Amino acid sequence: MYQATLSRRSYRFSDLRQLMAKASPARSGDYLAEVAADSAEERMAARIALAEVPLKTFLQQLLVPYEQDEVTRLIIDSHDVLAFAPISHLTVGDFRDWLLSEQADSLMLTRVAAGITPEMAAAVSKLMRNQDLILVAKKCRVITRFRNTIGLPGHLSVRLQPNHPTDSLQGIAASMLDGLLYGSGDAVVGINPASDSLPLLEKLNYMLDDVIQRFAIPTQSCVLTHVTNTLRLIERGAPVDLVFQSIAGTEAANSGFGINLALLAEAQQAALSLNRGTLGHNVMYFETGQGSCLSSNAHHGVDQQTCEARAYAVARHFSPLLINTVVGFIGPEYLYDGKQIIRAGLEDHFCGKLLGLPLGCDVCYTNHAEADQDDMDTLLTLLATAGLTFLIGVPGADDIMLNYQSTSFHDALYIRELLGLKHAPEFADWLTKMHITDDQGRLRDTAANHPLLLALQGEQP
């Protein structure tokens, strides 16, 4: 039992799960799950009580039972006691103060990351204002490599997302060319296929690999199909760079995705066996999003933000090259408006970085949410200030296959110019060599005889 008194009224919370949920900022998904605070006063009382909870409590009082959930078992069994030692004496409130202190610099945050559980990260985020989430995330350093180096301070990468509603190779190639000529694609060139047809998925892999190899682009490709399809593609000898999978924070929710930890481990080993990375061996790409556990009725009464943080434990176990929260994609049932989407994006980025992950964000919303592109401009600017690893680049910010609003190649140009952010260094060198950018990283005017344009037209460069 946890309790706090506010305005002469005593509030009681039956267990840690309820306390965490009641302390969460208001969002539609928690109201839908009937776990949210009934009032702003109850929410504040829960935060006061949560601030007094020792971090060690999260290792003893598990929100999802150990016996029932392999994600819980992963969190507990992989907990690094030595990494936890410097912060093991702190309460959640003390932890917030410590994270904001000068003592918690980038090196120290790297040292303690393996000792922080997702529940600890989620708990402390509930006590933090937006500026706190930004300041701490900015101090976190997470660097990954495959064919280039992602996550360096002062850098921002972009996933080039050339989706097409009929998986037209020509349409995808056109969007890919568009993105490359705007300097996007250093995180990954990643396609969400409309079809699960294995022959078509194979063609997409070969097409992406052909462009990357022909022009010696220091990046990686990914066809974002189910992990079982990727395993079959590897068995067929397709040129697979990264293995993609959507993941969630409970075993039951992952089962709804048709996956478990053993399957992800099998896929990781299959990708590693191809040895396609030139600079590193981070071969996994994960996507997450608040509300996924609730949407599959697999949340165990845990608030959606804590469930989301638990998904990061799954990702951390497989050392991904990339992971991003598709923050507003699931819809207003889970994040109702721009305010809730902005807060969720900052929470997700903070928790992921604190846990040692290369967290990116699909700054996005669906057309029936109470949000617009101005809200996305705000979130993009805040996340980039906080050290975002990568964002999404879609032609015109309008994904015509997935039918949602994201960020465009022009948005990437805006944020680079505003904050002086650079491309991944190897990709930056390639852009200069290809006369796409000048020595200062600024875009050049593209001539009609540019090799990439000629390639799209079927001519020899």
Side-chain angles (χ1 to χ4, degrees), residues 135-197:
L135 185 61
V136 175
K138 180 74 170 181
K139 296 193 286 186
C140 297
R141 300 279 184 263
V142 184
I143 298 170
T144 58
R145 294 179 175 88
F146 189 76
R147 290 200 188 100
N148 57 22
T149 305
I150 295 172
L152 292 169
H155 291 67
L156 174 68
S157 294
V158 177
R159 170 189 160 187
L160 203 172
Q161 183 169 299
N163 295 344
H164 192 277
T166 63
D167 290 330
S168 162
L169 294 183
Q170 186 175 11
I172 289 170
S175 293
M176 183 177 176
L177 170 68
D178 191 24
L180 290 171
L181 292 178
Y182 275 112
S184 293
D186 49 344
V188 64
V189 181
I191 300 171
N192 297 93
S195 170
D196 280 333
S197 163

Side-chain angles (χ1 to χ4, degrees), residues 20-21 23-27 29-30 33 35 47 50 63 117-128 133 249 288-294 299 301-312 325 327 334-335 340 343-352 354-355:
M20 291 275 281
S24 292
R27 62 205 56 196
D30 288 339
V35 300
R47 290 175 181 172
L50 181 60
L63 304 188
T117 69
E119 291 84 355
M120 294 175 194
V124 75
S125 77
K126 298 176 193 302
L127 306 185
M128 302 178 97
L133 299 173
T288 65
Q290 288 193 28
S292 56
C293 289
L294 176 58
H299 59 99
V302 178
D303 67 271
Q304 68 179 38
Q305 189 254 331
T306 301
C307 284
E308 170 72 5
R310 284 170 53 91
Y312 302 154
T325 168
V327 65
Y334 307 95
L335 296 170
Q340 292 188 12
R343 174 68 190 191
L346 294 176
E347 289 170 347
D348 295 349
H349 181 251
F350 163 82
C351 288
L354 193 62
L355 293 168

Side-chain angles (χ1 to χ4, degrees), residues 139-431:
K139 296 193 286 186
C140 297
R141 300 279 184 263
V142 184
I143 298 170
T144 58
R145 294 179 175 88
F146 189 76
R147 290 200 188 100
N148 57 22
T149 305
I150 295 172
L152 292 169
H155 291 67
L156 174 68
S157 294
V158 177
R159 170 189 160 187
L160 203 172
Q161 183 169 299
N163 295 344
H164 192 277
T166 63
D167 290 330
S168 162
L169 294 183
Q170 186 175 11
I172 289 170
S175 293
M176 183 177 176
L177 170 68
D178 191 24
L180 290 171
L181 292 178
Y182 275 112
S184 293
D186 49 344
V188 64
V189 181
I191 300 171
N192 297 93
S195 170
D196 280 333
S197 163
L198 207 63
L200 177 59
L201 298 176
E202 193 168 26
K203 287 181 181 178
L204 292 175
N205 269 280
Y206 276 105
M207 187 271 283
L208 293 176
D209 184 63
D210 176 64
V211 174
I212 289 173
Q213 298 301 330
R214 191 191 320 182
F215 294 100
I217 308 174
T219 190
Q220 36 283 328
S221 67
C222 185
V223 176
L224 282 70
T225 186
H226 193 269
V227 63
T228 53
N229 288 333
T230 305
L231 277 168
R232 294 168 67 190
L233 289 170
I234 292 174
E235 291 170 358
R236 292 165 67 116
V240 172
D241 288 342
L242 305 182
V243 174
F244 168 80
Q245 183 55 49
S246 295
I247 57 173
T250 68
E251 179 179 346
N254 284 324
S255 179
F257 284 141
I259 63 167
N260 54 36
L261 298 179
L263 179 61
L264 294 178
E266 179 185 355
Q268 181 187 36
Q269 290 306 309
L272 287 170
S273 72
L274 301 179
N275 198 31
R276 292 178 58 81
T278 55
L279 295 184
H281 303 289
N282 300 112
V283 296
M284 305 298 282
Y285 175 20
F286 296 118
E287 284 189 345
T288 65
Q290 288 193 28
S292 56
C293 289
L294 176 58
S295 68
S296 58
N297 195 29
H299 59 99
H300 296 269
V302 178
D303 67 271
Q304 68 179 38
Q305 189 254 331
T306 301
C307 284
E308 170 72 5
R310 284 170 53 91
Y312 302 154
V314 176
R316 181 167 64 175
H317 184 64
F318 295 101
S319 303
L321 179 76
L322 306 165
I323 170 175
N324 69 272
T325 168
V326 193
V327 65
F329 182 74
I330 302 182
E333 300 86 354
Y334 307 95
L335 296 170
Y336 178 72
D337 57 14
K339 181 180 177 66
Q340 292 188 12
I341 292 171
I342 289 168
R343 174 68 190 191
L346 294 176
E347 289 170 347
D348 295 349
H349 181 251
F350 163 82
C351 288
K353 284 292 190 65
L354 193 62
L355 293 168
L357 285 169
L359 220 293
C361 185
D362 190 343
V363 179
C364 65
Y365 63 102
T366 56
N367 289 311
H368 61 309
E370 291 294 323
D372 59 26
Q373 212 65 34
D374 285 337
D375 294 317
M376 300 305 103
D377 287 349
T378 299
L379 179 54
L380 169 60
T381 304
L382 293 174
L383 284 171
T385 304
L388 183 69
T389 302
F390 73 102
L391 70 151
I392 307 299
V394 177
D398 184 3
D399 192 304
I400 59 174
M401 195 283 283
L402 292 174
N403 195 28
Y404 78 117
Q405 307 304 310
S406 184
T407 44
S408 70
F409 308 136
H410 295 82
D411 293 328
L413 295 178
Y414 146 73
I415 202 64
R416 289 192 194 283
E417 181 176 350
L418 178 69
L419 300 178
L421 299 171
K422 302 177 182 178
H423 302 84
E426 301 84 0
F427 193 80
D429 291 343
W430 178 82
L431 290 173

